[in-house]
Amino acid sequence: MTTDKDLSMDGQSAMAMFAAKGIDVTPNKDQGVVKVVKRQGVDGERPMMGDRVTVHYTGKLLNGKKFDSSLDRKEPFSFNLGKGQVIKAWDISVLSMQKGEVCTLLCKPEYAYGSAGNPGKIPPNSSLLFEMELLSFEGEVLTDDGGIIRRIKVKGDGYTNPNDGATVDVHLEGSCGGRLFDSRDVRFTVGEAEDKGVPLGVDRAMEKMQKGECCILHLKPKYGFGREGKPEYKVGPNKDLVYEVTLKDFQRAKESWEMDLNEKLELASGVKHKGNQYFKAGRFHQAIIQYQRIVSWLEMECGVGMEQQKRIQDFLLISQLNLALCFLRLKEFSHVVENCNKVIELDGKNEKALYRRGEARLLRNEFSLAMADFQQVLQVNSSNRAARAQISICQRKIREHHEQDKKIYANMFQKFAEYDAKVCRRNMAVIKNKTKQKNE
């Protein structure tokens, strides 16, 4: 990146340079942000709305006074583009840059700190000069595991998003390895996109989108068509997918607080059935969405009368148990234990919850805890043969673990003994040599 020398001109000289070489990058072409490219970047993609961008920058007033610099801190600065995390001039100008590009920006007050300024640094109504280098950019990560990455081509309108259960109208274009395999308009319910052949990743991204938004979604196999692939689209197993999605319209579903208890209980039956269908089809992620919906509706409800309270508890118990089973299939054992614990809080002698928690703990190599769970199962139902078999497995695993520990410690002590013997021999040799020298 260039140096302070490049921003050391006075205000009049700066205005002359930008008038001669500058490019107006504002959408309205009102000269609010003018850019002069000092070093061209790498040809290729430019950042998009929502991308995580990393830059180096130096900011100065028109009189040449520096007020901030990432270079002085020796630390690049990162932010999410178009999210209002930085001044408006930055959100606009970085969209026009390429990776490696260095440019100088002249920003009017309304695109910088406006009439308020930044007390102690920037006076009110100040135009500012920035020199900026775009170091890198990457799409917005929508999931903790990095399985869904979004890049926004066209920003949507408003501040509302589709919620779980909303009805959405979208245009989809799906591709795999550069080959377009799906292009259509489709309507689906958020949380049930699988019914229309739409992958989980597109479904999950809906709750982040706004009406009119067009984005590109990069989906890992878990959020695409998984290990099975999609033969009708000629997409093989474990393939990364790219979807261009335009949210044309949506109708939000009622939130939990907008429904009374009777409505929730009525809807819960259908949602449970839908979850069971997904589970039987091996669509565990989709089943989880359905069961979690029931829990979110009912976990804070008390009910009126014994009958209603029992219906609430029955729905919660079956939903938590089914969630535990889904997570067990997905090998997400901490979630299995968490959901089983919630069942046991409601019903301390629930055989299925104790057994499934034991299975998860056994697979986490928590053999003693697992054995305690299976023993509790036998206290509830002494004829549970599976629990007896699991106890035998736990006992064998505990013995194997102890034997392994004994070998580790035996080898450790053997090495200590060998080391001590070696040191002793060396010390004896030293003493012998000194005695010999003394006698001579």
Side-chain angles (χ1 to χ4, degrees), residues 54-74:
T54 301
V55 301
H56 260 313
Y57 69 92
T58 295
K60 288 193 172 187
L61 305 176
L62 292 187
N63 63 11
K65 182 181 178 182
K66 185 197 302 182
F67 60 83
D68 195 11
S69 175
S70 63
L71 293 168
D72 291 348
R73 295 192 299 273
K74 296 181 172 58

Side-chain angles (χ1 to χ4, degrees), residues 60-109:
K60 288 193 172 187
L61 305 176
L62 292 187
N63 63 11
K65 182 181 178 182
K66 185 197 302 182
F67 60 83
D68 195 11
S69 175
S70 63
L71 293 168
D72 291 348
R73 295 192 299 273
K74 296 181 172 58
E75 184 178 351
F77 179 72
S78 298
F79 63 97
N80 291 100
L81 195 56
K83 299 291 186 179
Q85 297 175 355
V86 291
I87 60 174
K88 192 175 179 181
W90 281 26
D91 274 337
I92 291 170
S93 58
V94 174
L95 281 171
S96 72
M97 297 177 69
Q98 295 174 316
K99 183 178 178 180
E101 178 181 318
V102 178
C103 67
T104 306
L105 305 170
L106 175 61
C107 313
K108 287 185 177 179

Side-chain angles (χ1 to χ4, degrees), residues 63-228:
N63 63 11
K65 182 181 178 182
K66 185 197 302 182
F67 60 83
D68 195 11
S69 175
S70 63
L71 293 168
D72 291 348
R73 295 192 299 273
K74 296 181 172 58
E75 184 178 351
F77 179 72
S78 298
F79 63 97
N80 291 100
L81 195 56
K83 299 291 186 179
Q85 297 175 355
V86 291
I87 60 174
K88 192 175 179 181
W90 281 26
D91 274 337
I92 291 170
S93 58
V94 174
L95 281 171
S96 72
M97 297 177 69
Q98 295 174 316
K99 183 178 178 180
E101 178 181 318
V102 178
C103 67
T104 306
L105 305 170
L106 175 61
C107 313
K108 287 185 177 179
E110 54 267 34
Y111 287 89
Y113 291 92
S115 59
N118 189 346
K121 287 187 174 182
I122 301 167
N125 298 309
S126 294
S127 292
L128 303 177
L129 289 169
F130 286 99
E131 183 169 282
M132 184 176 290
E133 178 181 9
L134 179 58
L135 301 174
S136 65
F137 59 90
E138 59 184 2
E140 181 184 8
V141 180
L142 299 186
T143 55
D144 292 338
D145 59 8
I148 307 175
I149 295 176
R150 175 175 69 161
R151 307 198 65 216
I152 301 172
K153 288 182 70 176
V154 179
K155 189 175 181 180
D157 301 320
Y159 298 96
T160 59
N161 313 86
N163 58 346
D164 189 33
T167 301
V168 296
D169 291 296
V170 301
H171 179 74
L172 301 176
E173 292 188 4
S175 60
C176 179
R179 178 182 66 86
L180 183 70
F181 62 79
D182 189 13
S183 179
R184 57 183 163 132
D185 292 324
V186 61
R187 172 178 290 183
F188 63 86
T189 300
V190 177
E192 301 174 13
E194 169 72 20
D195 297 350
K196 298 296 181 71
V198 177
L200 178 65
V202 174
D203 187 297
R204 294 297 82 195
M206 285 296 109
E207 295 185 46
K208 300 287 187 179
M209 295 182 68
Q210 296 168 326
K211 183 178 177 180
E213 178 180 319
C214 176
C215 68
I216 297 172
L217 299 173
H218 297 266
L219 309 179
K220 292 296 183 185
K222 172 181 174 180
Y223 296 96
F225 297 129
R227 289 175 293 182
E228 301 85 7

Side-chain angles (χ1 to χ4, degrees), residues 45-46 125 151 154 193 237 273 279 311 327 366 387 395 430:
E45 288 187 328
R46 298 178 192 271
N125 298 309
R151 307 198 65 216
V154 179
H273 178 68
F279 181 86
R311 287 190 70 194
F327 286 123
E366 297 171 343
Q395 289 170 336
V430 170

Side-chain angles (χ1 to χ4, degrees), residues 174-327:
S175 60
C176 179
R179 178 182 66 86
L180 183 70
F181 62 79
D182 189 13
S183 179
R184 57 183 163 132
D185 292 324
V186 61
R187 172 178 290 183
F188 63 86
T189 300
V190 177
E192 301 174 13
E194 169 72 20
D195 297 350
K196 298 296 181 71
V198 177
L200 178 65
V202 174
D203 187 297
R204 294 297 82 195
M206 285 296 109
E207 295 185 46
K208 300 287 187 179
M209 295 182 68
Q210 296 168 326
K211 183 178 177 180
E213 178 180 319
C214 176
C215 68
I216 297 172
L217 299 173
H218 297 266
L219 309 179
K220 292 296 183 185
K222 172 181 174 180
Y223 296 96
F225 297 129
R227 289 175 293 182
E228 301 85 7
K230 199 77 170 174
E232 57 264 46
Y233 292 150
K234 297 181 181 179
V235 175
N238 298 313
K239 294 292 186 180
D240 290 349
L241 304 178
V242 178
Y243 267 84
E244 183 169 314
V245 183
T246 303
L247 179 57
K248 297 165 68 178
D249 201 1
F250 67 91
Q251 183 67 45
R252 285 176 61 85
K254 281 186 177 181
E255 297 287 359
S256 179
W257 55 269
E258 296 177 298
M259 296 186 285
D260 62 30
L261 180 53
N262 288 328
E263 189 175 0
K264 293 177 184 178
L265 289 170
E266 186 178 339
L267 289 172
S269 295
V271 173
K272 184 185 78 169
H273 178 68
K274 174 69 72 174
N276 293 345
Q277 287 181 317
Y278 282 138
F279 181 86
K280 289 174 183 175
R283 304 297 183 190
F284 303 121
H285 291 288
Q286 288 84 349
I288 285 168
I289 293 168
Q290 305 306 315
Y291 299 134
Q292 285 178 335
R293 188 181 294 177
I294 296 172
V295 173
S296 70
W297 288 343
L298 299 178
E299 63 183 343
M300 301 304 291
E301 294 286 355
C302 297
V304 178
M306 294 297 294
E307 183 179 345
Q308 202 173 60
Q309 290 174 13
K310 185 177 185 306
R311 287 190 70 194
I312 292 169
Q313 181 161 317
D314 287 347
F315 273 124
L316 288 173
L317 284 173
I318 194 66
S319 297
Q320 298 284 11
L321 283 170
N322 288 347
L323 282 168
L325 193 55
C326 289
F327 286 123

